[in-house]
């Protein structure tokens, strides 16, 4: 397997791992094991399209580490999906679960396709065939998928149904992020955005940034970005710009986020919003603000634009939005980056709550879920902050050190089989 080249996401994930391993002085054998995913599966997904054509999509499921339990990670439908990207994202999930203290390793999966141009019928057929093709390696005690870019509760319901029909047993615990009626959890849909909000609240307090009227810019108005924007808006922050794939909207006086949420649900995009100026995604990232939340996709802030970012805090809602070169520029400028494996870990944390509820068939109140999420996120932030101060490293390095060292320790305890 190639390593995705120097610029690919996998190259970045491996370089981050190598640097952290060196700092932690880990055993070279364990280092080698952590660099490779435990399992990768590539499947063909033949799908009958509505115009009668047959299309064959390529699907992936990568399980990076199974040392501490089943694997966990999202399913992405996007034209950029490939083995390198899936492997990098699976690896990030391993560190994220370990950092948060969840009994999982990391996985990621997806299908290379343009879901925005597919009908619901086509999406359902593709999802069911993809699920059948990977059915041997998923399951509530093996690997538990969840939503990611361009997948949602409905896609999870189709996956759960396909798995359950083939096994002959209704199995809610095979996926998380399901509809409530099928064993989903209260608060799961909002969990990632809510987690970003909790981490930001803790960080703002730490860095002496007044939360009231803080200027916030959000890239990506999907599940993660729209929820983070709404909660910050409700807490009296001024969300001055948001965007989606079609571009952004900017209003220095603050946007009406609840209205944008409704418009986006009705029209599938925010691009018809009138109350502000149209800007590009590139311009949006360079707006003057207190908090920038990249919540769209990877590789958005690089050595090309990082020096023009005028935020005090960057909270990574997306996975891998900041490149290592951009990290260096931010460190020199004194911009605090709240790293993905910490800032967006609210999703997998409430996915864990959902899985526990499914296994016990006992469901919690929403306030219990949000309270426990807040506790887990705030405690993780404090652990990361403390280590970053002790070791004189940025928050990303500290978060990776905590995650990687836990997995390495677990591997050492289990030893090598046979
Ligand atoms: P989503 O599909 O709900 O929303 C994605 C949003 O980004 C949409 O508004 C889309 O229009 C926009 N977008 C896509 N490409 C863009 C581009 N090139 N420039 C600007 N905007 C673009 O997806 P989501 O679930 O909100 O995921 C967003 C990010 O958060 C991804 O990186 C994902 O891996 C990460 N994430 C999601 C979860 C989760 O629970 N959903 C958890 C952790 C991390």
């Amino acid at each position: 397997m190639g390593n995705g080249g120097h610029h690919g996401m996998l190259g970045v994930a491996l370089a981050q791992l190598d640097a952290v391993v060196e700092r932690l002085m880990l055993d070279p054998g364990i280092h080698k094991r952590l660099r490779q995913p435990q399992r990768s599966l590539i499947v063909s997904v033949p799908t009958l399209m509505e115009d009668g054509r047959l299309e064959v999509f390529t699907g992936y499921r990568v399980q990076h580490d199974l040392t501490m339990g089943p694997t966990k990670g999202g399913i992405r439908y996007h034209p950029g999906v490939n083995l390198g990207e899936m492997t990098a994202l699976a690896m990030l999930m391993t560190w994220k679960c370990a950092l948060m203290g969840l009994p999982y390793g990391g996985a990621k999966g997806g299908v290379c396709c343009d879901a925005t141009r597919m009908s619901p019928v086509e999406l359902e057929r593709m999802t069911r065939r993809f699920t059948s093709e990977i059915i041997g390696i998923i399951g509530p005690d093996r690997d538990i998928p969840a939503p990611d870019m361009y997948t949602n509760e409905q896609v999870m319901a189709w996956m759960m149904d396909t798995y359950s029909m083939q096994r002959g047993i209704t199995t809610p615990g095979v996926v998380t992020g399901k509809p409530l009626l099928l064993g989903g959890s209260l608060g799961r849909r909002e969990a990632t955005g809510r987690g970003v909000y909790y981490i930001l609240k803790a960080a703002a307090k730490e860095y002496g940034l007044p939360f009231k009227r803080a200027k916030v810019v959000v890239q990506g108005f999907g599940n993660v970005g729209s929820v983070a924007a709404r909660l910050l808006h409700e807490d009296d922050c001024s969300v001055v710009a948001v965007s989606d794939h079609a571009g952004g909207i900017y209003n220095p006086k603050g946007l009406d986020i609840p209205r944008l949420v409704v418009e986006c649900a009705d029209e599938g995009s925010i691009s018809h919003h009138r109350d502000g100026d149209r800007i590009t995604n590139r311009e949006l990232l360079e707006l003057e603000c207190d908090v920038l939340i990249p919540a769209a996709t990877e590789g958005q802030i690089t050595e090309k634009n990082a020096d023009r970012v005028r935020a005090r805090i960057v909270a990574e809602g997306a996975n891998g939005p900041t490149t290592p070169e951009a990290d260096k520029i931010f460190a020199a400028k004194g911009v605090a980056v709240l790293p993905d494996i910490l800032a967006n870990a609210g999703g997998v944390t409430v996915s864990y709550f959902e899985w526990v509820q499914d296994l016990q068939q006992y469901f919690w109140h929403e306030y219990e879920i949000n309270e426990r999420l807040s506790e887990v996120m705030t405690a993780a932030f404090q652990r990361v902050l403390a280590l970053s101060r002790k070791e004189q490293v940025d928050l990303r390095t500290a978060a990776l050190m905590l995650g990687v060292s836990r997995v390495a320790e677990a591997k050492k305890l289990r030893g090598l089989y046979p």
Side-chain angles (χ1 to χ4, degrees):
M1 195 188 71
N3 72 4
H6 293 301
H7 303 290
M9 219 194 163
L10 183 54
V12 171
L14 288 171
Q16 282 176 342
L17 171 64
D18 295 347
V20 165
V21 162
E22 198 178 305
R23 206 175 262 283
L24 292 167
M25 295 186 290
L26 292 184
D27 172 78
I30 287 185
H31 182 197
K32 278 185 201 162
R33 295 178 69 189
L34 295 179
R35 287 184 112 252
Q36 299 254 11
Q38 254 176 272
R39 284 186 199 126
S40 314
L41 183 60
I42 306 180
V43 297
S44 297
V45 189
T47 304
L48 184 63
M49 308 304 273
E50 296 216 63
D51 63 4
R53 261 179 323 120
L54 188 132
E55 197 70 70
V56 182
F57 299 102
T58 305
Y60 304 86
R61 187 70 181 169
V62 176
Q63 301 174 348
H64 173 254
D65 176 74
L66 294 116
T67 311
M68 287 185 279
T71 45
K72 190 99 195 65
I75 299 281
R76 175 176 291 196
Y77 290 169
H78 193 269
V81 163
N82 61 53
L83 187 60
E85 183 194 56
M86 293 294 106
T87 308
L89 288 166
M91 201 178 270
L92 274 184
M93 280 303 292
T94 298
W95 316 142
K96 190 185 298 183
C97 291
L99 168 65
M100 303 311 284
L102 307 177
Y104 297 131
K108 204 78 181 191
V111 179
C112 179
C113 67
D114 187 351
T116 61
R117 291 160 161 271
M118 291 170 69
S119 73
V121 171
E122 291 165 350
L123 282 173
E124 178 173 355
R125 286 178 187 152
M126 185 183 79
T127 299
R128 287 185 180 281
R129 184 61 186 250
F130 173 60
T131 308
S132 303
E133 294 294 342
I134 64 168
I135 206 158
I137 63 164
I138 61 171
D141 50 5
R142 286 175 185 275
D143 178 18
I144 306 122
D148 191 71
M149 288 183 78
Y150 300 103
T151 57
N152 55 22
E153 290 179 5
Q154 179 61 73
V155 172
M156 293 305 115
W158 291 327
M159 289 191 80
M160 177 272 201
D161 182 67
T162 304
Y163 183 89
S164 297
M165 294 310 288
Q166 287 205 20
R167 290 285 139 111
I169 303 163
T170 296
T171 313
V174 65
V175 290
T176 57
K178 297 178 293 293
L180 213 52
L181 258 176
L182 300 178
S185 176
L186 290 165
R188 172 60 185 91
R189 194 187 307 158
E190 296 82 17
T192 308
R194 181 174 284 276
V196 171
Y197 164 75
Y198 289 144
I199 290 285
L200 262 173
K201 204 149 176 132
K205 199 165 151 200
E206 197 56 46
Y207 297 129
L209 172 76
F211 218 47
K212 302 253 173 275
R213 283 186 295 282
K215 267 197 207 172
V216 179
V217 168
V218 183
Q219 185 197 39
F221 205 67
N223 174 297
V224 180
S226 69
V227 171
R230 181 172 60 78
L231 292 173
L232 290 163
H233 175 87
E234 282 171 9
D235 208 355
D236 294 330
C237 289
S238 178
V239 182
V240 293
V242 299
S243 69
D244 60 20
H245 60 278
I249 188 104
Y250 171 55
N251 185 336
K253 292 202 216 84
L255 292 161
D256 183 350
I257 298 299
R259 214 179 97 200
L260 271 161
V261 169
V262 172
E263 286 177 10
C264 191
D266 290 348
E267 299 166 42
S269 173
I270 55 164
S271 51
H272 307 290
H273 191 75
R274 292 272 157 258
D275 200 14
D277 301 325
R278 303 279 315 154
I279 52 170
T280 65
N281 266 294
R282 183 171 293 266
E283 289 163 345
L284 172 126
L285 294 171
E286 298 171 9
L287 289 171
E288 207 228 303
C289 60
D290 297 301
V291 175
L292 172 63
I293 306 178
T297 188
E298 53 250 29
Q300 294 300 299
I301 307 169
T302 67
E303 78 272 20
K304 295 204 180 89
N305 61 355
D307 57 347
R308 289 196 299 276
V309 169
R310 288 178 289 163
R312 289 177 60 186
I313 300 178
V314 174
E316 296 186 327
N319 285 310
T322 315
T323 64
E325 295 79 16
D327 267 339
K328 285 198 195 103
I329 296 170
F330 283 159
K333 290 211 307 182
V335 176
V337 179
L338 309 175
D340 45 13
I341 63 168
L342 172 67
N344 71 30
V348 70
T349 301
V350 177
S351 272
Y352 167 63
F353 297 162
E354 179 175 335
W355 179 74
V356 168
Q357 291 172 81
D358 288 338
L359 295 183
Q360 301 187 337
Q361 305 257 14
Y362 179 73
F363 291 86
W364 310 351
H365 295 286
E366 188 159 11
Y367 70 83
E368 293 176 288
I369 288 157
N370 291 344
E371 237 162 61
R372 286 176 200 188
L373 174 63
S374 168
E375 261 170 44
V376 172
M377 298 299 290
T378 311
F381 174 74
Q382 293 303 340
R383 284 200 297 277
V384 171
L385 186 71
L387 187 69
S388 84
R389 292 202 167 135
K390 180 162 165 259
E391 298 285 330
Q392 298 285 308
V393 293
D394 62 14
L395 296 173
R396 188 186 314 281
T397 306
L400 286 166
M401 285 172 76
L402 288 168
V404 171
S405 60
R406 230 177 118 98
V407 182
E409 184 61 27
K411 279 220 178 297
K412 197 169 138 201
L413 285 169
R414 279 187 63 163
L416 181 63
Y417 179 89

